[in-house]
Amino acid sequence: MSDNVQEKLESLLRVQRVIPPTAEAKAASYIQDYDAAYRQSIADPEAFWDQAAKELEWFSPWQRVLEWDYPWAKWFVGATCNITSNCLDRHVKTWRRNKVAVIWVGEQGEERVFTYAELFRQVNRCANGLKSLGLRQGDLVTIYLPKIPEQIVAMLACARLGIIHSVVYSGFSAPALATRIQDAEARVVITADVGYDRGKPSNLKEVVDQAIATCGTVEKVIVVRREQPGIPLSSPKEIDWQTWLDDKPATCEAVPLDAEAPLYFLYTSGTTGKPKGVVHVHGGYMVGTYLTTKYVFNLRDEDVYFCVADPGWVTGHSYIVYGPLLNGATILTAEGKPDYPNPGRWWRLIERYGVSIFYTTPTAIRLLMKYGEEWPKKYDLSTLRTLGSVGEPINPEAWEWFHRVTGGTCPIMDTWWQTETGMILVTPLPSMPLKPGSASRPFLGIEADVVDREGKSLPPNAGGFAVIKKPWPAMMRTIYKDPDRYRAYWNIIPNCYTAGDVCRKDEDGYFWFMGRADDVIKVAGNRIGTAEVESALVSHQAVAEAAVIGKPHKTAGEAIKAFVILKHGQQGNSELIQALKDQVKKELGKIAVPQEIDLVTSLPKTRSGKIMRRVLKAKELGQDPGDISTLEE
Ligand code: PRX
């Protein structure tokens, strides 16, 4: 463990406060006695997941709950299902048909409301649209949309037919989108004319045009046209979403799929330049997201559930779309930033729609903290009951602020998980005592631990690696076209899934996550691989070499700092620095742009030539770099 980890550990150890659950939260909980429920779930995890799966509808049952051929898992073996039957059909057969499924609020203040029956019809029309293009089970559609309801409709329509969706966050640039389309070999891309960012339209269709110039597999581009007059389209390749679906019938049977049939790919950053296509499947993912949404937020029919994520990231997949719809929830989703047009934006939405569950991120909380308590104070937030946080460790100050401004009684579920895990794995439940800054304890059925490099459990409060010791239903099944990269997760530490996070477990078994052990940076809760940014920098003609690190940042959690060696004869000046930033923006998108760029003449390397980012980071933060015996100079 490096000194850096130790440092973080000590700073966290100062936090002591324990907040018992309110009698009300406890009484209202599905799981009132976590310890007993956990013990039981772990005694026989397969029986536990078997029971959970039986709360959902399947076309045909499984012969076995789990087939585990280390490190390859199959869940609900032999069963057939379709996640959309449980998100839609299961509800439209009941009184929920006219219950509100999705309330969407646009950045410009527009509002669109979909009941379960209406969402069902729209998804079916879209599925029929996909069929009309000749797409079928196993094909792939890339969805590059802003946060508008069509994003949800398109995802579900694909899933209904067993078409795999790959949602790409609409902030990604053309080259980043192209890499993801190429890797997945998408036949169709669904996009929009524009997305809005703080009132300014960003031209998504142009990005797609640039991207697909290098993607031979794309046959059609479907365009949602938001602006008037509509942008011109060049047929027959480009199709208007509205015209495409106008005449399509509103019924389309869900295709019965093997439980292990792929549902989606989602590309995420790792430690190499190439993003990984994480593969999730219908059956196990459905069970995992269903149960975690239900228990973690104690979700009930009368709730209004507001998750601020974008379906371009995994939180949007699991906890805006699939988990909540599987539970028949009323979901509020809003386009735009938390402080636009003013920092009252989300608080106002909570008041306006009577939100009872609010799932957000530490970055957003820290941003709102900067604007002060007067903003939440302006609004009636008394409908709030359960809060959530995800994406990075939430610092106790932000936790306390969030808790206080929302009334001081709502439990905050600090949920720890990853794109690869598909579902929340370490989290409090509303009936548990909370410790601000800790993600609490493993979810039911999940065996999590903190271990050393050899896989030995560590004593309380010793920093080590967060691992999961048994398979779980929503785990990724592989990395698309790269099974070795999948295997690696299960081979770093013997007999465990290694998440890449450093962590400690306190004397009560509460997990305190301390950040990543690998070279992955978390900017505003989004994973950025150092290698991706470095390769974007090196793609500039003036750059010989680059190394990037994450630096603590007050609101974003981490900010990117780059160290760049220029080629001989290149002049370093502020224009060049700006050009390098522009280059990263062009290659990857705004989110990956380094906040600082230092021009240097050498970089610390191992004898084998690997850049030692850890040394750069320690130097930058004025810390001891730890073991530098492998350093060349
Ligand atoms: O480092 C952990 C951090 O986010 C990583 C996963 O990132 P991603 O796949 O983008 O998924 C984000 C949304 C689930 C983890 O390896 N992380 C996520 N949630 C927490 C967290 N770190 C501490 N506490 C959390 N609650």
Side-chain angles (χ1 to χ4, degrees):
M1 201 62 29
S2 75
D3 291 2
N4 187 8
V5 169
Q6 198 58 42
E7 174 87 7
K8 283 189 196 168
L9 181 76
E10 276 156 17
S11 70
L12 281 166
L13 274 171
R14 281 183 238 127
V15 183
Q16 306 265 329
R17 196 159 110 89
V18 178
I19 297 148
T22 61
E24 219 178 343
K26 193 149 184 167
S29 277
Y30 289 108
I31 305 295
Q32 303 200 352
D33 182 350
Y34 166 82
D35 287 303
Y38 183 71
R39 261 196 314 275
Q40 200 189 350
S41 73
I42 281 303
D44 189 351
E46 287 181 39
F48 173 77
W49 292 114
D50 181 72
Q51 274 308 311
K54 285 181 178 150
E55 292 183 26
L56 296 166
E57 289 178 0
W58 301 74
F59 294 116
S60 64
W62 46 97
Q63 281 98 46
R64 286 171 66 188
V65 176
L66 170 67
E67 193 179 291
W68 181 224
D69 177 15
Y70 193 95
W72 305 100
K74 283 186 185 157
W75 282 87
F76 309 107
V77 184
T80 53
C81 64
N82 185 303
I83 198 167
T84 71
S85 313
N86 280 292
C87 289
L88 300 169
D89 307 50
R90 193 163 76 92
H91 308 309
V92 298
K93 285 187 295 202
T94 70
W95 67 270
R96 285 198 189 114
R97 64 179 290 104
N98 291 321
K99 176 180 175 176
V100 172
V102 177
I103 307 168
W104 172 84
V105 184
E107 213 205 57
Q108 321 285 312
E110 322 89 296
E111 177 191 90
R112 291 165 69 188
V113 178
F114 301 73
T115 60
Y116 272 89
E118 179 56 16
L119 186 63
F120 180 71
R121 286 188 288 266
Q122 298 230 8
V123 168
N124 285 338
R125 281 203 189 93
C126 185
N128 282 321
L130 292 166
K131 260 191 200 169
S132 74
L133 301 178
L135 273 84
R136 61 182 77 82
Q137 184 183 342
D139 284 335
L140 189 131
V141 170
T142 295
I143 301 173
Y144 181 72
L145 281 171
K147 205 167 154 188
I148 53 176
E150 285 75 5
Q151 203 182 20
I152 300 175
V153 170
M155 288 165 79
L156 294 168
C158 289
R160 201 153 178 84
L161 301 177
I163 294 167
I164 304 159
H165 59 70
S166 162
V167 179
V168 178
Y169 172 60
S170 62
F172 278 119
S173 64
L177 172 62
T179 319
R180 287 158 176 79
I181 294 175
Q182 285 158 1
D183 188 72
E185 297 167 65
R187 288 184 61 189
V188 167
V189 176
I190 302 181
T191 190
D193 49 359
V194 293
Y196 295 102
D197 185 9
R198 293 202 164 88
K200 281 202 272 327
S202 63
N203 197 329
L204 299 183
K205 170 67 168 40
E206 250 173 49
V207 178
V208 171
D209 290 346
Q210 272 179 43
I212 64 166
T214 59
C215 303
T217 56
V218 177
E219 296 158 30
K220 298 281 180 206
V221 177
I222 317 286
V223 186
V224 178
R225 288 194 280 187
R226 308 176 74 186
E227 302 235 288
Q228 292 299 333
I231 55 161
L233 299 178
S234 64
S235 56
K237 187 166 189 164
E238 301 177 351
I239 306 173
D240 172 69
W241 168 281
Q242 205 61 47
T243 338
W244 180 48
L245 299 185
D246 258 355
D247 62 340
K248 298 294 179 294
T251 50
C252 175
E253 290 294 317
V255 173
L257 302 165
D258 187 276
E260 287 292 310
L263 168 63
Y264 67 79
F265 299 169
L266 184 57
Y267 287 87
T268 191
S269 297
T271 48
T272 74
K274 193 169 169 280
K276 321 184 218 196
V278 169
V279 178
H280 284 294
V281 301
H282 275 253
Y285 178 81
M286 166 171 92
V287 175
T289 53
Y290 162 73
L291 202 73
T292 44
T293 311
K294 176 172 167 180
Y295 287 171
V296 172
F297 301 105
N298 204 27
L299 185 62
R300 306 275 174 179
D301 264 316
E302 54 275 28
D303 280 313
V304 176
Y305 169 97
F306 180 21
C307 172
V308 303
D310 183 308
W313 309 108
V314 75
T315 305
H317 283 65
S318 298
Y319 298 107
I320 290 182
V321 183
Y322 291 111
L325 289 176
L326 287 165
N327 280 280
T330 295
I331 301 153
L332 171 66
T333 168
E335 188 184 29
K337 298 284 192 293
D339 56 350
Y340 182 85
N342 64 49
R345 163 86 169 165
W346 286 352
W347 309 123
R348 198 184 77 80
L349 292 176
I350 292 168
E351 176 184 275
R352 163 99 175 77
Y353 294 100
V355 170
S356 52
I357 301 173
F358 181 41
Y359 193 20
T360 182
T361 65
T363 306
I365 297 166
R366 288 189 293 260
L367 177 73
L368 294 173
M369 258 172 99
K370 280 207 306 204
Y371 292 106
E373 270 174 56
E374 59 267 32
W375 283 99
K377 276 202 184 122
K378 283 184 208 210
Y379 300 92
D380 176 4
L381 307 178
S382 61
T383 51
L384 286 173
R385 203 168 49 70
T386 311
L387 308 172
S389 167
V390 62
E392 53 181 312
I394 175 166
N395 49 309
E397 296 72 25
W399 197 106
E400 295 284 1
W401 185 86
F402 191 32
H403 192 241
R404 189 174 63 246
V405 303
T406 49
T409 54
C410 304
I412 302 176
M413 304 298 107
D414 176 2
T415 62
W416 178 89
W417 58 295
Q418 308 179 293
T419 306
E420 295 88 335
T421 71
M423 63 185 244
I424 295 168
L425 293 187
V426 178
T427 178
L429 298 177
S431 59
M432 282 161 70
L434 302 172
K435 301 188 186 191
S438 166
S440 302
R441 317 242 334 244
F443 186 73
L444 307 183
I446 301 299
E447 251 184 75
D449 199 1
V450 176
V451 300
D452 65 13
R453 276 178 208 284
E454 279 69 54
K456 265 209 331 280
S457 281
L458 289 170
N461 293 317
F465 299 96
V467 297
I468 311 298
K469 294 191 154 169
K470 295 249 173 73
W472 63 99
M475 63 191 264
M476 67 167 160
R477 295 304 194 264
T478 190
I479 301 286
Y480 187 55
K481 290 182 181 163
D482 206 347
D484 286 343
R485 268 179 112 179
Y486 169 78
R487 274 193 209 99
Y489 286 86
W490 289 90
N491 284 338
I492 300 168
I493 294 173
N495 294 313
C496 311
Y497 169 87
T498 303
D501 279 29
V502 277
C503 188
R504 72 178 167 94
K505 216 165 66 168
D506 70 15
E507 50 293 326
D508 298 323
Y510 275 55
F511 284 67
W512 297 78
F513 287 93
M514 298 183 283
R516 303 281 312 171
D518 55 24
D519 291 332
V520 171
I521 304 176
K522 275 257 149 174
V523 181
N526 300 309
R527 255 160 86 169
I528 316 263
T530 51
E532 277 175 284
V533 183
E534 287 161 6
S535 88
L537 285 164
V538 175
S539 72
H540 190 280
Q541 48 84 22
V543 176
E545 240 184 322
V548 312
I549 58 164
K551 243 180 109 167
H553 184 270
K554 242 183 140 41
T555 48
E558 284 192 295
I560 300 174
K561 169 148 191 179
F563 299 85
V564 168
I565 303 180
L566 295 181
K567 285 186 186 152
H568 286 302
Q570 292 292 337
Q571 254 332 4
N573 52 34
S574 56
E575 281 92 69
L576 180 67
I577 299 283
Q578 191 51 49
L580 297 181
K581 291 185 178 179
D582 291 345
Q583 180 76 3
V584 178
K585 185 169 170 194
K586 188 174 120 233
E587 290 293 320
L588 295 170
K590 207 159 95 185
I591 186 158
V593 174
Q595 201 185 37
E596 288 173 67
I597 299 182
D598 277 7
L599 300 178
V600 296
T601 51
S602 71
L603 289 168
K605 287 189 185 162
T606 60
R607 280 166 230 278
S608 60
K610 271 192 171 171
I611 296 173
M612 292 181 80
R613 294 178 191 81
R614 170 168 74 76
V615 173
L616 281 170
K617 189 162 177 168
K619 203 164 156 224
E620 182 68 25
L621 305 180
Q623 294 167 343
D624 181 344
D627 176 15
I628 50 167
S629 55
T630 53
L631 190 68
E632 193 186 36
E633 322 170 4

